[in-house]
Every structure is written in structure tokens, then in C-alpha cells.
Amino acid sequence: LYTGNKINMKKNLSRNDRVARIVIAVLLSGLNLSVIVYWPESILVWIGAGIMIVTAIVGSCPMYSLFGINTLSRKRTVS
């Protein structure tokens, strides 16, 4: 993924996948803010929500790349 001076991150998240990540991140943040999740675990929840937001904005998930998953369809056929 590293080519010369920049990192080449190919998009591999579909629109539905990105929306789902944002919704899950908002729900996790809501759990944290409503004090359903307590101290040590709350840090992990914030980190998880942050990762989901970043991957949704960027459109690329490193774990998907690692396992060769791609939910982004390149071609759409209309019948």
C-alpha cells in the first residue's frame, strides 16, 4: 500500500457500509454519553466509535483490505 511518498488506500466501503458505520458510531457515542458504559470500557467504546467514523469518512477499511473484502461495487448493470 505504500508507493513512494504517499500511502495508497483504495476505497473498499459501499455507501450502505459507510452509513451503517456512522449509525453504529453515533449509537456507541450515545451509550457512552448516557453513562451506560463505565470507566475502563468507555475508552474502548470511544476508540471504536472514532475508528468507525474515520473509516466511514475515508471510505477505506484496513481490515477489509487485509482480508480482501470489498463491499464497493465497481460496475452497476441496469436491466
Side-chain angles (χ1 to χ4, degrees):
L1 295 177
Y2 181 76
T3 57
N5 294 337
K6 64 179 185 175
I7 296 175
N8 183 11
M9 298 213 30
K10 294 182 180 177
K11 293 188 183 245
N12 58 7
L13 296 177
S14 68
R15 182 174 183 257
N16 292 338
D17 201 352
R18 294 168 82 171
V19 169
R21 286 171 184 263
I22 291 172
V23 168
I24 291 170
V26 168
L27 290 174
L28 287 174
S29 299
L31 286 175
N32 248 350
L33 293 174
S34 65
V35 193
I36 292 176
V37 182
Y38 295 102
W39 163 236
E41 295 85 11
S42 70
I43 300 248
L44 296 175
V45 173
W46 281 120
I47 291 171
I51 290 171
M52 288 194 162
I53 289 288
V54 169
T55 56
I57 291 171
V58 172
S60 177
C61 177
M63 290 299 285
Y64 278 16
S65 297
L66 183 65
F67 293 111
I69 300 170
N70 186 355
T71 60
L72 182 65
S73 61
R74 293 287 177 201
K75 278 190 169 182
R76 289 189 132 177
T77 57
V78 178
S79 53

